[in-house]
Amino acid sequence: MPTRDAAYAIVPPIDKAVVPKQYQIAPGDIVSLSVFGEPDLTLEKLPVDDAGFIQVPLVGAVRVAALTPGEASTQIASRLGAQFLRNPNVTLNVIEQTGQMVTVEGQVAKAGAYPVDGQTTLLGAIALAQSPTRIAKLDEVVVFRTINNQRMAARFDLSRIRAGRDPDPQILGGDVVVVGFSQAKSIYRDVLQAAPLFNVFTRL
């Protein structure tokens, strides 16, 4: 899995990141779909499911999450044109936005989905989840991001970022952050919790 410079090539630092100029469709959005001259394929409200798909007549499930409306329109037109219509003119628009969200999972105090903006960083996203747990593996914090319809992953060392030794990467809507689990810390914690029970320590 990419780390250090290779990781920042996928998830750039906040001071070098560029916020997308066009809105990218997110799970929970509501879109409208129209196909010129095909009223049966025109839908006023089409929900984007949690996995990022919409159900399009004739072609079925189409993943539109992380695409711009124009990119989604092109993809649907390609699917329709391959089997059903000649040169379809497809228009997809976002009519209701859920807002951009990041999902934070793993060893954090409160895993969940949180709103982000163009200034949200990895440290900020983890702070939204009320910080790492005591058994978190801080050098195994992974950010998953969809780039050009490909799922990419980059690993960061949170302790180096906190110390200012590595830059803080920008987090975008649709990212998934997973904080790793430290088995060594877990064993140490279990020993400390069991110590009073088994009289591991003796008062001097």
Side-chain angles (χ1 to χ4, degrees), residues 105-164:
E105 301 177 350
Q107 292 302 312
V108 289
K110 190 175 181 181
Y114 299 93
V116 296
D117 56 31
Q119 297 303 309
T120 302
T121 66
L122 180 57
L123 286 178
I126 293 176
L128 292 171
Q130 299 183 10
S131 298
T133 65
R134 295 180 66 181
I135 58 172
K137 190 168 177 57
L138 298 183
D139 62 349
E140 289 189 4
V141 178
V142 181
V143 178
F144 294 91
R145 175 173 295 177
T146 300
I147 301 175
N148 297 326
N149 293 323
Q150 289 189 332
R151 197 65 165 165
M152 309 288 285
R155 193 180 80 187
F156 298 94
D157 186 335
L158 200 64
S159 58
R160 290 180 60 89
I161 295 172
R162 282 176 167 175

Side-chain angles (χ1 to χ4, degrees), residues 18-24 68 100 118 170 172:
V18 177
V19 177
K21 295 181 179 180
Q22 298 186 57
Y23 180 77
Q24 294 179 324
T68 66
Q100 296 294 296
Q170 183 190 40
L172 301 177

Side-chain angles (χ1 to χ4, degrees), residues 182-204:
S182 172
Q183 186 174 6
K185 287 184 180 180
S186 177
I187 293 172
Y188 179 68
R189 185 196 63 177
D190 292 344
V191 168
L192 290 180
Q193 290 177 343
L197 180 63
F198 294 106
N199 292 319
V200 172
F201 299 103
T202 302
R203 181 180 298 176
L204 298 177

Side-chain angles (χ1 to χ4, degrees), residues 1-3 15 19 35 56-57 59 72 99 117 140 159:
M1 185 176 297
T3 60
D15 60 345
V19 177
V35 182
V56 178
V59 300
D117 56 31
E140 289 189 4
S159 58

Side-chain angles (χ1 to χ4, degrees), residues 8 46 58 67 74 84 91 94 110 128-129 147 168 182 184 187:
Y8 285 105
L46 198 57
L58 298 180
L67 300 180
T74 299
F84 305 103
T91 301
V94 178
K110 190 175 181 181
L128 292 171
I147 301 175
D168 199 1
S182 172
I187 293 172

